[in-house]
Amino acid sequence: MLLANVVAVSGAVAATRSRSAKVALIASCLRSADADEREIAAAYLSGELRQRRTGIGWGALRDLATDSAGPSWSLVDVDAAFNRIAAQTGAGSQNRRRAELVALFESASIEAERRFLAALVAGELRQGALDGVMVDAIAKAAEVPLADVRRAFMLHGSLWAVAAIALTDGLDGLRAIIFEVNRPVQPMLARSASSIVDALAQISPAALEWKIDGVRVQMHRDGTATRVFTRTLDDITDRVPELVAFMDALPTDSVVLDGEAVALDASDHPRPFQETAARTSSRVDVEALRSSTPLSVFVFDALYVDGESLLDRPAAERQTFVDQLVPQRQRTPRIVTDDPGVAAEFFAAAIARGHEGVVVKSLVAPYEAGRRGDGWIKVKPRHTLDLVVLAAEWGHGRRQGWLSNLHLGARDNAGGFVMLGKTFKGMTDEMLGWQTEQFLRLESHRDASTVYLRPELVVEIAFDGVQSSPRYPGRVALRFARVLRYRPDKRAGDADDIEAVRAI
């Protein structure tokens, strides 16, 4: 199968809003792939690389020549090129990666292929083929029950591998997939509620746990072998020796635990999130980092103990294993209640300690790996700011032709505006159409991807917090920013200033 075939299907998927049409297009593509192409095709149609990390940044993509027109590569050849890129390490590795990348881009026969590859590398291929659509497409392509594909994905963790198994070995292959220690499963996720009262109206009685402001970790131990994975299933074992030591000390031979790793200050408050993130992402001078930025672990679930999967057991039963195996100081603070007043006090305590909020959990729900089910509901305080739109980038995929990614600014002390970051979240199709029309009226100038605006339009932005960032002039950035609404009733001079942001 040629890369051009997948690019064409990706474009067709992005162009339709019909879920059934997306499923049919992807299923047809997967069916036509050869055995050695199925996993690659499924990954690319999911908008991801199989290699996950290639060491290529956006800067390496911007200046690549795009005026050649060689023959289109096969999927297997493209995947092999990315394998070579990801394998480059040591002195001169950046130049070797770029050389491989240039060769790959120059081989692409049409501009659409180059745009596809660039978006794939940058993680910005938004084509409307999320996990739910892909699961449906795999079931349709392999002619197997949807429930079996979902279960296999939950246990295996890799949707692309499940696609290859389903298409090659069918239902027998899917049902042969079992929980394996040291092969991570997709983490269970939480829905959101606006308040504790709202969450308890949906789950009561409930367990409430602090939502620790750290990095989600899934920790596996099989005998003397311990491995630690992130929520995106990346192996970070060599970066977190404290977590390995914690697992090695547990009184059991095989166990899989779910929790959060976080760097705490001297008063047991979380240090800025980016310090924890930087610590868990760095392989350089790990022992020195362990001394300067030690990690603590907070466990909140047990998925496997001594040869038995606990995924289908009720949450209360899984908690008994946590209580038996994990010392109290390394368990996530937790209460069980149906009293909104007690729950509110617990929520306030989590916020006062510097964490994100709480997760309200059913006592009877199984562990729904990879799903945002009804069993967990997160409650966080919501911050909002009125900011000015400074620029917007043209969208990709389904948002092609719309101005989508907003550059957000706060007022500075000199009468201008300072950029705080970007967001493309929270926008309906109606809003995208409206803002594109408005932005073009406010255009001051543009480049290849961005339209810069006269700073007049105020937008209300919700976000989860503020972190320091050398990337932006104000040295701070918003975490998880999303659009709530535009404020035509406000002038740019009414927007919040940078000092209000820093105060948060």
Side-chain angles (χ1 to χ4, degrees), residues 30 101 143 151 189 272 317 320:
L30 293 177
L101 197 63
E143 298 181 342
R151 178 75 178 178
L189 305 174
E317 290 187 22
T320 62

Side-chain angles (χ1 to χ4, degrees), residues 52-71:
R52 303 185 70 85
R53 299 289 184 268
T54 61
I56 301 170
W58 178 250
L61 303 172
R62 283 182 302 199
D63 303 322
L64 290 177
T66 59
D67 57 356
S68 59

Side-chain angles (χ1 to χ4, degrees), residues 161-400:
V162 168
I165 292 168
L167 289 160
T168 304
D169 301 317
L171 189 57
D172 289 342
L174 292 177
R175 291 182 175 174
I177 297 173
I178 61 173
F179 194 119
E180 294 183 11
V181 180
N182 290 332
R183 185 177 69 191
V185 299
Q186 296 285 339
M188 184 170 176
L189 305 174
R191 295 184 294 109
S192 296
S194 59
S195 68
I196 290 290
V197 172
D198 183 19
L200 286 179
Q202 300 175 61
I203 303 175
S204 185
L208 276 72
E209 297 171 354
W210 285 7
K211 192 174 190 308
I212 304 296
D213 190 17
V215 170
R216 183 86 173 261
V217 287
Q218 191 178 121
M219 300 168 287
H220 293 235
R221 176 182 164 194
D222 187 12
T224 59
T226 290
R227 294 176 70 187
V228 181
F229 303 90
T230 65
R231 66 177 295 155
T232 53
L233 311 189
D234 293 309
D235 190 332
I236 58 168
T237 306
D238 59 344
R239 309 173 207 171
V240 288
E242 306 98 313
L243 274 59
V244 173
F246 158 72
M247 290 293 287
D248 288 346
L250 296 177
T252 183
D253 288 329
S254 63
V255 62
V256 178
L257 300 175
D258 198 356
E260 293 271 340
V262 61
L264 301 176
D265 63 19
S267 61
D268 285 338
H269 287 65
R271 292 163 70 164
F273 174 79
Q274 64 266 35
E275 293 187 24
T276 295
R279 169 61 210 281
T280 56
S281 65
S282 177
R283 291 188 174 92
V284 179
D285 295 328
V286 171
E287 285 304 319
L289 289 173
R290 182 180 184 179
S291 176
S292 64
T293 314
L295 294 175
S296 298
V297 63
F298 290 91
V299 174
F300 53 72
D301 218 326
L303 313 187
Y304 184 98
V305 174
D306 288 336
E308 181 186 358
S309 169
L310 307 180
L311 297 181
D312 294 324
R313 290 214 190 182
E317 290 187 22
R318 300 199 306 275
Q319 183 63 36
T320 62
F321 286 95
V322 174
D323 294 342
Q324 292 167 5
L325 293 172
V326 179
Q328 185 171 2
R329 68 181 181 279
Q330 289 157 324
R331 295 180 223 150
T332 303
R334 179 178 189 270
I335 63 169
V336 175
T337 186
D338 59 0
D339 186 328
V342 172
E345 290 180 3
F346 187 77
F347 176 81
I351 300 302
R353 189 61 72 90
H355 294 291
E356 294 184 285
V358 299
V359 182
V360 179
K361 296 184 175 182
S362 165
L363 300 175
V364 298
Y367 190 92
E368 299 178 273
R371 297 191 64 194
R372 203 176 298 278
D374 296 328
W376 291 5
I377 301 175
K378 59 187 176 184
V379 183
K380 298 190 287 185
R382 187 176 74 172
H383 303 288
T384 65
L385 287 168
D386 290 330
L387 301 174
V388 173
V389 182
L390 304 178
E393 298 170 14
W394 291 105
H396 302 283
R398 197 177 67 79
R399 293 188 175 187
Q400 189 82 27

Side-chain angles (χ1 to χ4, degrees), residues 36 39-44 47-56 73-88 97 101 104 116-117 120-121 158 160-161 232-235 239 283:
D36 59 346
E39 186 171 332
I40 305 168
Y44 289 6
E48 300 185 58
L49 290 172
R50 290 200 314 146
Q51 293 77 12
R52 303 185 70 85
R53 299 289 184 268
T54 61
I56 301 170
W73 280 21
S74 72
L75 284 187
V76 172
D77 288 337
V78 173
D79 186 63
F82 280 121
N83 278 335
R84 292 192 296 271
I85 290 168
Q88 300 300 325
R97 288 193 192 104
L101 197 63
L104 180 60
F116 180 89
L117 290 173
L120 201 61
V121 171
S158 170
W160 328 318
T232 53
L233 311 189
D234 293 309
D235 190 332
R239 309 173 207 171
R283 291 188 174 92

